[in-house]
Amino acid sequence: MGDIRNIVVLTGAGISAESGVPTFRGPDGLWEGHRVEDVATPEAYRRDPDLVLDFYDQRRAKLASVEPNPAHVALGRLDAEWKGKLLIVTQNVDDLHERGGAERLLHMHGELKSAWCLSCGERHPFDGKMAGYPACAVCGVSGHVRPDIVWFGEMPYRMEEIDVAIATCDLFVSVGTSGAVYPAAGFVQSARYAGAETLELNLDPSEGSIFFNESRMGRAGDLVPEWVDAVLGG
Ligand code: OAD
């Protein structure tokens, strides 16, 4: 490893798998029994809001029964101890990175514990049920609060910040993501273009595995703490 100052870590569902949060692309192609297009698109929300709101209510409620695993905790430690720049970009909508201590963190696909009011446009912290059509905590209007989740066909959040971080990083690390969903799947190539080292930590080779300088296959709960120890020790 050369002289590393600026690190970008991209995480996906695989980092939360050992905490008991299911990944998206299971062997049956379903996400918790649903086709992705039935629960994770604006069209699905317009067609059957009750189904979509209830689906995300269940995902949100599940957060109370899961805990960060050693991979989240290791990234929290990296954040606390790494003196250079760091940005952890997660595609996950759970709150396990925060609970593992990460602060230099960005949720590019939104958050379960955030609500977006389509009446006033404001976003606010949310930890209840949306299926009962609660009033917006900001404007008080009922019936227009939706999950603050980036659905298929919508624009991921804070892309400019991510692009700058990747263009100026020396090391890009991808953890627990299948590399099936853009723009995140393209970050490795942008990082290579910027001259960064690239490392993949995943259970199986991702779709973009060939683009990484190095791939380590295994469980995030083993690989991430090992990698963080090496970075902080070296
Ligand atoms: P996927 O379900 O597509 O991929 C999860 C990856 O994690 C796979 O490559 C697995 O091999 C790997 N994996 C599973 N268990 C692991 C473990 N214990 N340790 C390490 N790796 C493990 O999830 P994402 O790539 O996150 O978007 O999916 C990307 C996006 O697609 C999601 O953010 C979501 C989804 O549709 C939106 O909702 C917008």
Side-chain angles (χ1 to χ4, degrees):
M1 206 158 54
D3 191 16
I4 302 296
R5 292 284 305 156
N6 300 347
I7 303 176
V8 174
V9 180
L10 171 70
T11 69
I15 198 168
S16 296
E18 289 157 64
S19 294
V21 181
T23 58
F24 294 93
R25 292 172 179 78
D28 55 4
L30 297 178
W31 179 24
E32 300 260 343
H34 294 273
R35 294 185 314 153
V36 144
E37 53 272 38
D38 290 338
V39 289
T41 61
E43 293 74 23
Y45 177 61
R46 277 196 292 273
R47 193 171 53 236
D48 193 347
D50 288 325
L51 172 85
V52 173
L53 294 175
D54 182 57
F55 178 80
Y56 286 98
D57 282 349
Q58 289 181 37
R59 307 280 79 70
R60 189 179 308 106
K62 176 105 193 279
L63 296 183
S65 63
V66 298
E67 295 293 332
N69 66 55
H72 299 105
V73 173
L75 289 182
R77 182 170 155 245
L78 179 70
D79 192 346
E81 297 182 19
W82 179 249
K83 300 282 183 270
K85 276 197 191 165
L86 171 71
L87 182 64
I88 301 168
V89 178
T90 188
Q91 299 169 86
N92 298 344
V93 295
D94 64 49
D95 60 353
L96 293 174
H97 278 304
E98 289 88 332
R99 286 159 60 195
E103 290 180 1
R104 290 182 271 179
L105 170 72
L106 175 164
H107 282 271
M108 66 177 289
H109 288 167
E111 294 171 67
L112 283 167
K113 288 197 171 173
S114 176
W116 177 20
C117 175
L118 297 178
S119 181
C120 69
E122 294 294 325
R123 294 175 164 84
H124 60 84
F126 185 86
D127 200 9
K129 281 191 191 303
M130 288 186 189
Y133 295 95
C136 167
V138 180
C139 70
V141 173
S142 299
H144 298 285
V145 171
R146 62 160 269 188
D148 190 9
I149 303 277
V150 176
W151 287 325
F152 283 94
E154 298 183 324
M155 192 64 83
Y157 295 151
R158 298 169 68 177
M159 281 305 299
E160 281 180 27
E161 225 173 302
I162 297 171
D163 286 343
V164 168
I166 291 177
T168 53
C169 77
D170 320 296
L171 176 61
F172 172 78
V173 184
S174 169
V175 183
T177 177
S178 60
V181 175
Y182 281 82
F187 291 171
V188 59
Q189 293 179 73
S190 306
R192 286 290 290 268
Y193 184 74
E197 289 288 312
T198 53
L199 169 66
E200 168 176 55
L201 308 175
N202 210 41
L203 199 58
D204 317 293
S206 67
E207 291 186 20
S209 204
I210 53 161
F211 297 115
F212 287 86
N213 298 118
E214 186 187 348
S215 293
R216 298 180 197 161
M217 298 297 112
R219 288 155 52 101
D222 300 323
L223 295 180
V224 177
E226 272 167 31
W227 170 71
V228 168
D229 282 349
V231 169
L232 292 176

